Amino acid sequence: MCRLFGLSGARRTRATFWLLDAPDSLRDQSHRDPDGTGLGFFDADGTPRVHKAPVAAYEDRSFALEAKEVRSETFLAHLRFASTGGLSLANTHPFEQEGRLFAHNGVIEDLDALDAELGDDRSLVRGDTDSERFFALITREIRAHGGVAAGIESAARWVARNLPVYSLNLILITREELWALRYPGTHELYALRRPRGGHHGDRHLDHAGSGGHLRVRSGDLARAPALVVASERMDDHPGWRPLEPGELLHAGPGLEVTVRTVLPEEPAHRLTLADLRPEAADSQRIA
């Protein structure tokens, strides 16, 4: 399945990302290689930046293997296992709309109905994915409701009531804030409120995903707290907490964290793996 990773710090933080870890990890044939990798963050002036590539050729893999050291208050990394749309830059997460960055893990079907609901806001979408369309709906609802949390809740509720849904897990970031939604209970999504220095009080952050796909290090976080959201527990810290289905997490400036249930009900048309097209089902299995 796609991997999500988000990080919010109490201040601008330097972090190094390997979107594909050491080359040796790629020799393990029990793990499927990602179809795309991406990293989103913000410059000091608030300009959103995205470094991403489809993993469709040797050059793309070389890009993903290179260490990327960046500074930001928030970060968003995504590893794509394609379910909808081809292997292209336009279909690779994270996506940027109106100064916000977004990544999604899951499958939404009946895209014609979603396009009809978007109307003129379909122009926000540059690629072919269900994820970017869902982001466009969130962007429209943020405008309508005047807040990110309300926009996410409204868009996710409309999708849950009107479209076939496998999973809507997402992370959305702005320069200083992070939101994460787990819905429904199909895939896990974990949060870690990491104190300065981690569990031991004097350690830098060093997180690694399973399968050798994603690694993150930050020496700055030996001296500052952070909030981490990820598709899996990425170290042995005992503080990892799974979000409950329907919970929306928000980390604001200064790492004020709130979690509330915004979608207590099941999707009206909940999909199973058996309902998905073969390529979509493959993308949602543990890689």
Side-chain angles (χ1 to χ4, degrees):
M1 67 178 182
C2 298
R3 306 288 198 216
L4 291 168
F5 178 92
L7 189 151
S8 180
R11 62 192 189 203
R12 282 185 65 79
T13 299
R14 179 184 295 106
T16 304
F17 289 78
W18 292 263
L19 300 174
L20 295 181
D21 201 1
D24 285 349
S25 69
L26 302 181
R27 296 175 188 157
D28 184 351
Q29 296 304 308
S30 67
H31 292 98
R32 175 185 167 189
D33 291 348
D35 297 312
T37 66
L39 171 64
F41 57 97
F42 290 84
D43 287 344
D45 65 0
T47 302
R49 301 291 183 187
V50 177
H51 294 169
K52 62 182 180 178
V55 183
Y58 174 79
E59 293 79 8
D60 300 330
R61 179 167 294 180
S62 297
F63 165 88
L65 285 166
E66 292 172 356
K68 294 169 178 60
E69 184 177 283
V70 295
R71 288 179 63 92
S72 186
E73 285 155 287
T74 58
F75 304 85
L76 175 55
H78 184 270
L79 304 180
R80 181 186 185 223
F81 295 86
S83 60
T84 303
L87 305 190
S88 69
L89 189 65
N91 290 335
T92 304
H93 306 225
F95 304 106
E96 187 271 327
Q97 292 178 13
E98 299 186 0
R100 306 178 193 97
L101 300 177
F102 171 91
H104 164 236
N105 174 22
V107 178
I108 304 166
E109 293 194 343
D110 196 355
L111 299 185
D112 288 343
L114 181 50
D115 285 343
E117 174 65 16
L118 283 171
D120 291 343
D121 289 299
R122 178 65 173 79
S123 63
L124 291 165
V125 181
R126 301 176 183 175
D128 308 313
T129 65
D130 54 343
S131 302
E132 193 180 14
R133 288 172 165 94
F134 180 32
F135 186 24
L137 186 63
I138 291 171
T139 298
R140 186 190 76 182
E141 294 302 295
I142 290 171
R143 286 196 228 112
H145 292 274
V148 174
I152 292 172
E153 180 179 348
S154 177
R157 180 170 289 112
W158 186 89
V159 171
R161 289 175 175 173
N162 294 282
L163 303 180
V165 170
Y166 187 73
S167 174
L168 297 183
N169 284 11
L170 67 87
I171 298 175
L172 186 155
I173 63 171
T174 62
R175 177 184 178 181
E176 295 183 320
E177 299 180 78
L178 178 152
W179 291 261
L181 174 70
R182 181 188 178 203
Y183 183 77
T186 311
H187 292 315
E188 301 288 347
L189 194 61
Y190 293 91
L192 171 65
R193 300 178 72 164
R194 186 181 191 272
R196 177 179 61 83
H199 179 50
H200 300 282
D202 60 353
R203 306 287 175 84
H204 66 281
L205 180 141
D206 190 350
H207 282 178
S210 62
H213 290 323
L214 173 65
R215 190 174 185 90
V216 186
R217 289 180 181 170
S218 175
D220 289 355
L221 293 182
R223 300 175 297 279
L227 183 283
V228 183
V229 178
S231 300
E232 58 186 322
R233 295 180 178 92
M234 296 185 68
D235 69 359
D236 61 358
H237 194 294
W240 287 100
R241 171 192 181 276
L243 295 183
E244 295 298 324
E247 283 190 335
L248 177 66
L249 176 149
H250 173 230
L255 289 185
E256 299 132 356
V257 178
T258 60
V259 181
R260 62 189 182 94
T261 301
V262 297
L263 289 170
E265 66 279 357
E266 282 280 298
H269 310 285
R270 183 170 179 174
L271 299 169
T272 68
L273 278 178
D275 299 320
L276 301 180
R277 293 167 287 109
E279 60 272 26
D282 287 345
S283 77
Q284 298 303 303
R285 294 188 174 97
I286 300 298

